[in-house]
Amino acid sequence: MVGSVLRIAAGTALAALLAGCSMGSMFGGSDDASYANINASQTQVAQAASGAMPAIATECPPIRIRGGAEFYRSYAGNRTSDPTALRYQGVLDRVSRNCVVSNGIITVQMGAVGRVIIGPSGGEGNITMPLRFAVQRDGLAVFSQRYDVAVAASPSSANEFSQTVENVAIPYVGGEQITIFVGFDN
């Protein structure tokens, strides 16, 4: 009971202390009365609206790892059912994208980071990971490109790789379903 009374008293004291602080306007505006009744003119509104894009066009399309293309395996002697024949396996760890929208075009920069894991039949050496980036608009491919990413692999290192694709321009009219895909080109 004494603990409850002390908590209530401490809460009341904190509230009183904070009430005495002056932090200005809650939304960062000015308390100056000279701004109280100012409205933008129709010309100012029209100028601001001329460069505005529809709200949906300012969003970057999602990026996804394509189902069935999230890993890449290489086997010695093409013995895919023998786990001891695995030379290496590539996996994707992270994908990302960044977009700029201007004049009905979405310009995308996209990337992927992955790693190569050396298997029982693998060893040190140069490995090429076949990575494909694609963009679909309403179910149709508008961009698809394969990149052969070189990896200097060693059983004792992390064997990370990354690939970035820049300046992919996607026409945008409005209301389209746009998706970015990345995965290994099996």
Side-chain angles (χ1 to χ4, degrees):
M1 170 109 169
V2 172
S4 297
V5 172
L6 288 175
R7 280 193 292 260
I8 292 171
T12 305
L14 181 62
L17 180 65
L18 291 175
C21 294
S22 175
M23 298 188 318
S25 174
M26 184 167 113
F27 299 107
S30 173
D31 291 332
D32 189 348
S34 65
Y35 294 112
N37 293 317
I38 293 180
N39 292 316
S41 70
Q42 289 292 69
T43 305
Q44 291 170 321
V45 171
Q47 286 174 342
S50 67
M53 294 295 290
I56 193 154
T58 61
E59 295 180 14
C60 201
I63 185 168
R64 296 191 174 109
I65 297 175
R66 187 174 294 281
E70 51 277 295
F71 62 87
Y72 181 82
R73 292 182 181 139
S74 175
Y75 291 89
N78 218 12
R79 299 182 319 228
T80 58
S81 61
D82 181 5
T84 62
L86 180 68
R87 292 183 1 207
Y88 59 87
Q89 174 176 306
V91 294
L92 293 173
D93 293 325
R94 293 182 307 276
V95 294
S96 183
R97 84 281 188 255
N98 189 24
C99 302
V100 175
V101 180
S102 178
N103 299 323
I105 301 287
I106 300 174
T107 304
V108 181
Q109 177 179 352
M110 49 196 150
V113 175
R115 58 197 153 89
V116 174
I117 302 163
I118 305 297
S121 290
E124 194 166 320
N126 293 322
I127 296 172
T128 300
M129 300 307 302
L131 202 56
R132 181 169 297 276
F133 286 86
V135 179
Q136 284 186 349
R137 184 177 63 210
D138 292 333
L140 299 173
V142 293
F143 174 83
S144 180
Q145 182 69 46
R146 176 182 163 150
Y147 299 88
D148 291 327
V149 182
V151 182
S154 167
S156 62
S157 66
N159 305 320
E160 288 188 329
F161 65 89
S162 66
Q163 178 67 40
T164 303
V165 180
E166 298 183 8
N167 300 320
V168 176
I170 306 164
Y172 179 81
V173 177
E176 295 100 327
Q177 177 79 20
I178 300 172
T179 307
I180 302 166
F181 288 103
V182 63
F184 291 106
D185 199 28
N186 293 321

